[in-house]
Amino acid sequence: MEIVHYPHPSLRWKSQPVREINVKLKSIVHEMFDLMYEHKGIGLAANQVALPLRVFVMNPSGERQESDQELVFINPEILRKKGTIEGEEGCLSLPDVYGQVRRAEDILVSAFDLTGKEFRLELDDLLSRIVQHESDHLDGVMFFDRMDEEERSKIEAKIADFDFEFRKGQNEGEIPSDVELKRQLAELQP
């Protein structure tokens, strides 16, 4: 398992709901946490590891030893949004690219945990931002899609560099074609 970089097709894929919480899913979640910590992240969606599942993990501390802050969201749904606030975001699928994104300030989210138990959380500040960012991933939305035109223009060259490197890898046979990657994603859907 590895984190894929933009413009890998999985990052634009609308993930399908998880139908069963089993040993395989639990293993995936543990690997996702490992990757998130390894890359110094605070959230990671299944799309970012080329899995079309509605699952993401987060730990706002970003520290493995603070595992009490780990949260797993299976089939999350944001039920309510209130207020707006702007803040800086980045993405493990676009390393070292950051920009200001306007998000809801407070949210109510519903999801299932790894035991299959449904939970609801009212979140604000960083936790709200992480859940919105990762939920967007599950719908194929990147953080820069939410940026205003002026902010996005500041990072367009960096996004273009990622696109160039990805296409170069495809042309050199190091990365499968988009058609092949989409076929793989379709096969992995629940």
Side-chain angles (χ1 to χ4, degrees), residues 72-148:
V72 177
F73 291 76
I74 300 170
N75 299 337
E77 185 179 348
I78 296 176
L79 304 173
R80 186 187 72 233
K81 296 180 179 184
K82 284 185 356 189
T84 59
I85 190 166
E86 195 168 286
E88 185 176 75
E89 292 186 23
C91 182
L92 295 177
S93 293
L94 282 164
D96 302 318
V97 178
Y98 302 94
Q100 294 294 313
V101 181
R102 184 166 295 284
R103 298 269 186 197
E105 189 170 8
D106 301 299
I107 63 167
L108 173 64
V109 62
S110 168
F112 293 89
D113 65 18
L114 270 182
T115 68
K117 182 180 175 193
E118 186 174 10
F119 64 91
R120 287 181 178 211
L121 294 173
E122 288 191 42
L123 303 172
D124 60 10
D125 300 323
L126 180 60
L127 295 176
S128 171
R129 184 167 296 278
I130 298 168
V131 167
Q132 291 174 80
H133 178 107
E134 301 306 334
S135 292
D136 272 354
H137 271 305
L138 302 182
D139 291 326
V141 176
M142 299 292 293
F143 80 98
F144 59 79
D145 297 332
R146 301 273 187 211
M147 296 170 73
D148 69 32

Side-chain angles (χ1 to χ4, degrees), residues 17-41:
V18 171
R19 294 190 183 138
E20 181 183 4
I21 297 171
N22 53 27
V23 172
K24 184 176 180 182
L25 181 67
K26 291 177 182 180
S27 175
I28 288 167
V29 164
H30 291 297
E31 276 190 75
M32 286 174 64
F33 272 119
D34 287 343
L35 277 173
M36 183 187 80
Y37 293 129
E38 181 184 327
H39 292 274
K40 303 193 181 338

Side-chain angles (χ1 to χ4, degrees), residues 45 56 70 79 144 153 157:
F56 67 82
E70 291 180 350
L79 304 173
F144 59 79
S153 69

Side-chain angles (χ1 to χ4, degrees), residues 152-190:
R152 184 169 171 159
S153 69
K154 295 175 184 175
I155 64 168
E156 279 296 337
K158 291 179 181 179
I159 294 170
D161 288 345
F162 275 93
D163 192 82
F164 176 81
E165 289 300 318
F166 190 83
R167 301 303 172 201
K168 180 179 167 193
Q170 287 179 318
N171 290 336
E172 294 173 356
E174 298 166 5
I175 300 171
S177 70
D178 281 1
V179 170
E180 173 58 19
L181 291 171
K182 289 176 182 177
R183 186 193 63 72
Q184 291 172 12
L185 287 164
E187 283 182 3
L188 291 170
Q189 287 188 148

